[in-house]
């Protein structure tokens, strides 16, 4: 009787590890999606106040997308290949810590993760948009007027609270 129970337990082990990895991946993907939605809302509000920020807003969002897509792919890769590189005991936004050197090394790989890392690395190496400071000043102005950002900020905070409540086993 004990042998079938042991064999069943061993057979189910990869499924439970895989389920935890899938849950962690889904949780991180939700964090990335919430973060990108927040930045999109912030740019939209800044451009609404100043149409001259449309081009720099697109440039900024493109950089954020490259950054977060790299993190999404890197977390998935590390979940499957080297969980020691992740700090899953922290809040989801702190799971992954990639240094500039890490990103540079990843960008040398000839795979999907490497290509995504190259975009993020190139963004970090490129000259900032001429209106970058103006856009960041517009963000600062928006953030000092909470009523202007209530709806997207509350949506982001609610989503982050829901993500934090997800328990992966």
């Amino acid at each position: 009787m004990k042998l079938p129970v042991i064999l069943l337990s061993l057979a189910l082990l990869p499924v439970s590890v895989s389920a935890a990895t899938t849950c962690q991946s889904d949780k991180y993907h939700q964090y990335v999606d919430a973060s990108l939605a927040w930045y999109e809302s912030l740019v939209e509000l800044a451009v609404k106040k100043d149409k001259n920020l449309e081009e720099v807003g697109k440039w900024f969002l493109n950089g954020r997308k490259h950054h977060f897509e790299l993190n999404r792919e890197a977390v998935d890769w590390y979940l499957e290949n080297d969980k020691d590189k992740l700090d899953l005991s922290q809040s989801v936004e702190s799971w992954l810590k990639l240094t500039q050197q890490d990103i540079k090394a990843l960008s040398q790989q000839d795979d999907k993760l490497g290509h995504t890392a190259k975009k993020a690395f190139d963004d970090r190496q490129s000259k900032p948009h001429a209106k970058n400071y103006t856009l960041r000043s517009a963000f600062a102005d928006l953030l000092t007027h909470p009523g202007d950002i209530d709806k997207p900020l509350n949506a982001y905070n609610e989503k982050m609270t829901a993500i934090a409540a997800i328990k992966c086993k």
Side-chain angles (χ1 to χ4, degrees):
M1 183 68 171
K2 287 183 181 181
L3 184 58
V5 171
I6 291 170
L7 291 175
L8 181 60
S9 296
L10 290 173
L12 293 177
L13 184 61
V15 173
S16 63
V17 170
S18 178
T21 298
T22 299
C23 176
Q24 292 159 337
S25 175
D26 290 345
K27 184 173 180 171
Y28 198 81
H29 286 225
Q30 288 182 49
Y31 157 68
V32 167
D33 292 342
S35 298
L36 287 172
W38 162 246
Y39 281 114
E40 287 168 1
S41 295
L42 202 56
V43 168
E44 183 180 306
L45 290 168
V47 169
K48 190 174 180 181
K49 283 189 162 202
D50 183 351
K51 299 289 183 209
N52 293 319
L53 297 176
E54 189 168 356
E55 181 186 321
V56 68
K58 288 179 184 176
W59 168 84
F60 175 81
L61 280 177
N62 198 38
R64 293 285 76 204
K65 287 177 184 174
H66 291 161
H67 167 80
F68 280 107
E69 289 306 323
L70 167 60
N71 287 359
R72 182 193 315 259
E73 286 185 35
V75 163
D76 284 349
W77 191 90
Y78 287 124
L79 282 169
E80 291 293 326
N81 298 289
D82 189 4
K83 279 191 177 183
D84 291 341
K85 294 282 189 180
L86 302 172
D87 190 351
L88 301 174
S89 68
Q90 297 293 316
S91 59
V92 68
E93 59 270 22
S94 298
W95 283 4
L96 178 67
K97 300 273 195 271
L98 290 178
T99 66
Q100 187 69 1
Q101 290 303 329
D102 294 333
I103 296 169
K104 184 177 183 180
L106 289 172
S107 74
Q108 304 301 312
Q109 295 178 192
D110 189 21
D111 57 11
K112 186 177 179 190
L113 178 57
H115 296 288
T116 304
K118 177 113 175 75
K119 288 178 188 176
F121 183 75
D122 289 348
D123 286 346
R124 290 179 176 203
Q125 299 301 308
S126 68
K127 183 179 175 185
H129 192 284
K131 291 185 179 179
N132 183 43
Y133 181 77
T134 305
L135 179 66
R136 300 213 181 235
S137 295
F139 289 162
D141 185 54
L142 283 169
L143 294 172
T144 60
H145 297 92
D148 294 347
I149 60 169
D150 251 359
K151 188 175 178 183
L153 183 58
N154 287 339
Y156 174 77
N157 288 335
E158 287 172 14
K159 185 64 178 167
M160 292 303 293
T161 299
I163 292 167
I166 297 171
K167 303 295 180 212
C168 298
K169 299 183 186 228

